Amino acid sequence: MQSEIDALEANRTWSITPLPSDKKDVGCKYVYKVKLKLDGTLDKNKTCLVAKGYTQREGFDYQETFIPVANMTIVRLFLALAAINNWHLVQLDVHNAFLHGDLDEEIYMDLPPSYMV
């Protein structure tokens, strides 16, 4: 959990501020995942801090959503092209990934559980 908080702070993902009286905050929670090696033994424990976006209402708290994700059909197409053209592929494991974009709305999130200012 601490490495996740450190990464969020290093990327200046948020700034701590009092909640205005006319705003509603969004909760957050940690999501935990156990990563296993091919032989089934423990590789590492992963933690991700996520906002509880399901508490927001479209038109009130936000106007639209867009999440860029990889479609499996596109991934298969890319791998097929790589095989046909003998392209060299390299796998990269990203420790922390942040989507940077401009927001039109102000979003206020609760501090993470056990977060110390």
Side-chain angles (χ1 to χ4, degrees):
M1 291 185 314
Q2 189 58 48
S3 65
E4 178 75 359
I5 293 295
D6 292 343
L8 291 168
E9 288 177 342
N11 284 286
R12 291 183 276 195
T13 305
W14 66 49
S15 59
I16 298 175
T17 182
L19 179 66
S21 60
D22 62 330
K23 299 290 183 177
K24 182 180 167 193
D25 58 343
V26 175
C28 64
K29 66 179 181 176
Y30 288 108
V31 175
Y32 304 100
K33 184 168 186 172
V34 175
K35 298 293 248 178
L36 302 176
K37 296 179 183 175
L38 290 177
D39 63 2
T41 59
L42 177 67
D43 183 25
K44 58 185 161 184
N45 293 310
K46 295 190 79 172
T47 303
C48 184
L49 181 68
V50 297
K52 296 179 182 177
Y54 56 82
T55 61
Q56 295 180 302
R57 296 172 298 158
E58 185 174 3
F60 294 95
D61 301 314
Y62 66 92
Q63 301 304 321
E64 62 181 317
T65 60
F66 175 74
I67 302 171
V69 295
N71 182 311
M72 286 309 294
T73 304
I74 301 299
V75 172
R76 287 188 198 102
L77 174 67
F78 179 76
L79 292 175
L81 286 171
I84 291 168
N85 294 302
N86 290 323
W87 293 342
H88 179 75
L89 297 178
V90 178
Q91 178 181 341
L92 173 68
D93 185 21
V94 178
H95 179 69
N96 288 82
F98 294 90
L99 298 176
H100 295 284
D102 296 326
L103 296 176
D104 296 326
E105 303 86 10
E106 290 181 343
I107 299 174
Y108 294 90
M109 185 179 83
D110 287 338
L111 289 175
S114 71
Y115 181 77
M116 302 298 274
V117 179

